[in-house]
């Protein structure tokens, strides 16, 4: 009997032309594209689990996914090369390795980190147009940092969650572990948000709110009351999908997949 | 009689879907797209001169171009906003200002700087696939830097020039002023090449040669003889267009347009 192996992958993708990670009847998803290519190579049906069901248009540089195979004599290095060749650049397998048989990328995730790119200034560089949100206004960075400090910690984040059809949260309490701001050499601003888990569109709603703070439409001191209200209408706009990247997924001490260095 | 004004622009573009800067009968060029939009706004025929006729697929973040207009009461800030709206992101006017009537972006250029992006490692990040050259090999950086030192200065660069139909150089002597290497935080390597002027495909041929040096196919010490041979076949491969960006154009002291900071 062929040995069953659990394979773990770190995946990057350009979400521009995908309807998100998850398979849907509406159009192409990252999951379906990857599944089709994996099944072509492995010659058996494959089911893929991923740490995050990223939305339509959202990118990833450190998505973590896993699948099970019984293919004998599997050469993972060769599999990575074949996958990347067939995926033609819009999806890239950055790392592939054998995991414990019980490994589940969603259930075992301890934290996730998302990066959001803002392009400041009058004109956006054309090569960034699909990968950042152009903000042609001056932003008050100090106010944004004070607002971010209010978002840290364990809260009921209902004010920052969009309602998803046929889905509700048993407990909308989440913990935001870190919010960082990094100025990039190309003039963009990167907002890094790490949390134990996120509600639907929570990162984009937090970014939209931080941008409203930067523009003076919301005062940093209003954030605590905004959280307490548990009312989506109290917070800022949802930032567009194209600026968002799933940066990496953190696992427990024993099964750490360190996030990518990018 | 309306006053004649000379207008200078700093332009960025994503060259992916253009057949280069210059108007051609074969397909879309950056020049034609910009000319069409300018004429739509100004309501008179416009002729645009640019510092560099970038090739098909080559990008720019600091192309410099100029045109003449007799449009009365021209508001340049408003013109920039209108242009950027109509250009829809693939071309961006980063700066627009009045110049001396005699200003010519090609003739007055003292130096140009190009940046070439190499993506190293097994898998290329999907968002970089249209903006860098993926090199899945280890590169000997120290050898590349020694080779670059040999390329500096005034030489007959015929070995690094492709032959252009119906065109030949009266004097193929050019001066390379600087070659820099910068490691980017996303794992890419940027090669920065500044020179007084460049022969056809000279930057891409220099980059291709430096990559061959990095891979051990050419020794740094072979470069001087390669230059002396004045033979294109002596040098390395032509690097693909997608990794190349016109970074900026330098003008004389009085009419300096500083290159973009990116």
């Amino acid at each position: 009997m062929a040995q069953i192996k659990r394979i773990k992958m770190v995946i990057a993708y350009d979400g521009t032309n995908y309807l998100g990670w998850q398979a849907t009847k509406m159009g192409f998803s990252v999951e379906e594209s990857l599944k089709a290519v994996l099944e072509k190579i492995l010659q058996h049906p494959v089911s893929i689990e991923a740490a995050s069901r990223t939305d339509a248009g959202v990118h990833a540089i450190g998505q973590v996914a896993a699948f099970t195979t019984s293919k004998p004599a599997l050469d993972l290095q060769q599999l990575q090369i074949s996958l990347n060749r067939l995926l033609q650049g819009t999806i890239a397998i950055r790392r592939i390795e054998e995991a414990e048989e019980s490994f589940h990328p969603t259930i075992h995730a301890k934290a996730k980190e998302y990066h959001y790119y803002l392009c400041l200034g009058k004109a956006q560089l054309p090569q960034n147009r699909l990968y950042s949100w152009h903000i042609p206004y001056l932003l008050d960075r100090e106010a944004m940092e004070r607002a971010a400090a209010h978002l840290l910690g364990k809260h009921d984040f209902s004010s920052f969650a969009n309602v998803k059809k046929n889905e509700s949260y048993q407990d909308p309490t989440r913990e935001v572990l870190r919010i960082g701001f990094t100025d990039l050499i190309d003039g963009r601003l990167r907002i890094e948000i790490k949390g134990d888990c996120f509600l639907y569109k929570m990162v984009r709603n937090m970014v939209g709110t931080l941008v409203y703070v930067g523009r003076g439409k919301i005062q940093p001191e209003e954030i605590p009351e905004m959280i307490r209200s548990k009312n989506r209408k109290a917070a800022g706009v949802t930032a567009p999908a194209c600026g968002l990247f799933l940066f990496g997924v953190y696992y427990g001490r024993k099964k750490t997949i360190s996030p990518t260095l990018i």
Side-chain angles (χ1 to χ4, degrees), chain A:
Chain A
M1 205 183 86
Q3 203 202 337
I4 285 177
K5 279 181 181 166
R6 187 75 175 150
I7 309 297
K8 187 169 68 184
M9 302 176 287
V10 179
I11 306 167
Y13 45 86
D14 179 336
T16 309
N17 296 318
Y18 290 106
L19 283 176
W21 167 265
Q22 202 173 28
T24 153
K25 282 172 184 157
M26 307 291 284
F28 286 109
S29 71
V30 179
E31 182 186 5
E32 283 166 300
S33 305
L34 186 54
K35 183 178 150 76
V37 167
L38 264 174
E39 292 183 343
K40 188 175 176 159
I41 298 172
L42 299 174
Q43 295 287 311
H44 67 67
V46 172
S47 155
I48 311 173
E49 288 91 37
S52 171
R53 292 181 296 169
T54 55
D55 278 330
V58 173
H59 314 289
I61 57 173
Q63 169 75 288
V64 177
F67 64 92
T68 301
T69 181
S70 54
K71 184 93 173 170
L74 187 68
D75 178 340
L76 289 179
Q77 271 215 314
Q78 189 49 52
L79 179 61
Q80 182 179 16
I81 291 166
S82 305
L83 281 169
N84 282 335
R85 194 166 296 146
L86 289 168
L87 290 166
Q88 296 189 309
T90 52
I91 303 173
I93 309 300
R94 306 192 64 200
R95 208 157 67 191
I96 191 162
E97 57 198 28
E98 202 175 333
E100 287 178 38
E101 217 179 303
S102 63
F103 174 72
H104 193 295
T106 327
I107 295 163
H108 296 146
K110 293 275 181 287
K112 286 172 202 161
E113 185 166 339
Y114 286 89
H115 287 179
Y116 198 96
Y117 291 83
L118 298 176
C119 176
L120 310 174
K122 271 189 198 171
Q124 178 162 238
L125 283 183
Q127 77 264 30
N128 290 335
R129 75 192 186 284
L130 303 174
Y131 311 107
S132 42
W133 181 18
H134 183 209
I135 306 285
Y137 309 102
L138 285 178
L139 294 182
D140 180 343
R141 172 74 161 272
E142 191 268 330
M144 291 170 80
E145 290 183 1
R146 275 192 295 136
H150 287 298
L151 290 167
L152 290 178
K154 246 186 185 154
H155 303 285
D156 177 328
F157 277 103
S158 296
S159 298
F160 294 87
N162 285 19
V163 177
K164 207 171 182 174
K165 249 188 289 177
N166 313 322
E167 252 182 62
S168 66
Y169 295 101
Q170 274 199 315
D171 178 8
T173 303
R174 297 291 184 271
E175 187 173 9
V176 174
L177 299 159
R178 192 180 86 87
I179 301 180
F181 295 85
T182 302
D183 294 301
L184 303 181
I185 52 163
D186 65 2
R188 286 188 297 169
L189 170 62
R190 185 171 71 194
I191 304 178
E192 302 132 5
I193 302 182
K194 181 178 171 182
D196 60 348
C197 192
F198 292 93
L199 303 173
Y200 185 50
K201 296 205 175 159
M202 179 171 152
V203 177
R204 286 161 62 187
N205 290 335
M206 286 169 74
V207 169
T209 302
L210 289 172
V211 167
Y212 269 16
V213 169
R215 293 182 61 185
K217 292 183 165 198
I218 293 172
Q219 298 308 308
E221 295 67 32
E222 294 173 44
I223 301 283
E225 180 50 35
M226 192 181 283
I227 295 172
R228 273 192 298 271
S229 75
K230 298 177 195 173
N231 176 6
R232 173 69 193 96
K233 285 175 187 156
V237 71
T238 305
C242 65
L244 185 62
F245 284 76
L246 171 59
F247 169 76
V249 186
Y250 296 80
Y251 290 90
R253 270 179 217 148
K254 276 197 178 169
K255 287 183 269 185
T256 297
I257 294 174
S258 55
T260 54
L261 284 169
I262 294 157

